Amino acid sequence: MKIGLIGAGVVGRAIATLAVRAGHQVMLSNSRGPHTLFSLRAAVGCAIGTVDEAAAFGDIGVVAVPLAAYRAVPAAALAGKVVIDTNNYYPERDGAIAELDDKRTTTSELLARHLPASRIVKAFNAITMTDLERDGRPAGSPDRRALPVAGDDGEGKAIAIALLDAFGFDALDAGPLSQGWRFERGTPAYCVALTRDALEKTLAATTR
């Protein structure tokens, strides 16, 4: 696939690195412009571009910007595409967001509202990027870590699950996008190494 990454911080770089290793074409972008990403082109083996260029480049998009910046993600260029949302809510970084504090919505539902013509999948948010780069295991390994995904689009979830598998992880379909709260920051499954069976039980037992 061609993957357009919006955000080139720790999350964007880790996903880009693993995606290139898996044989995908990747374009990294950030809000400051491609001239600030010059060294990453060689280090990661990817293309670099503006946010709009990355959004247009990808067969799928990956949003890896701080949650506070989600409204800057270009909606038109991502219309009709699967968009993987990696976000978590950190009030100390993002500022207070009443809808999240009151548990009236989830981080990925906020992005879906901003990108109404895109197909949003929540994935890659419940693992540290250090673990994402080092914990991958071959399929069938008894200690293979599982990660959750949520979304309302079956094809989108299948793409996210295939990426996780290529990166060395099992995946668990946690249901529709509205269920993404089950593995957001502060929940029992958040950034905890669990097998697929253990993750399924943990998500089922999680309360809001």
Side-chain angles (χ1 to χ4, degrees), residues 22-61:
H24 300 293
Q25 298 179 59
V26 175
M27 181 180 285
L28 269 171
S29 68
N30 67 11
S31 61
R32 298 189 304 278
H35 65 283
T36 66
L37 304 174
F38 178 78
S39 62
L40 290 179
R41 179 163 50 189
V44 176
C46 65
I48 56 174
T50 66
V51 168
D52 286 336
E53 287 169 343
F57 169 87
D59 300 320
I60 68 166

Side-chain angles (χ1 to χ4, degrees), residues 162-177:
L163 278 175
L164 285 170
D165 181 58
F167 294 176
F169 297 88
D170 288 337
L172 179 68
D173 185 344
L177 202 63

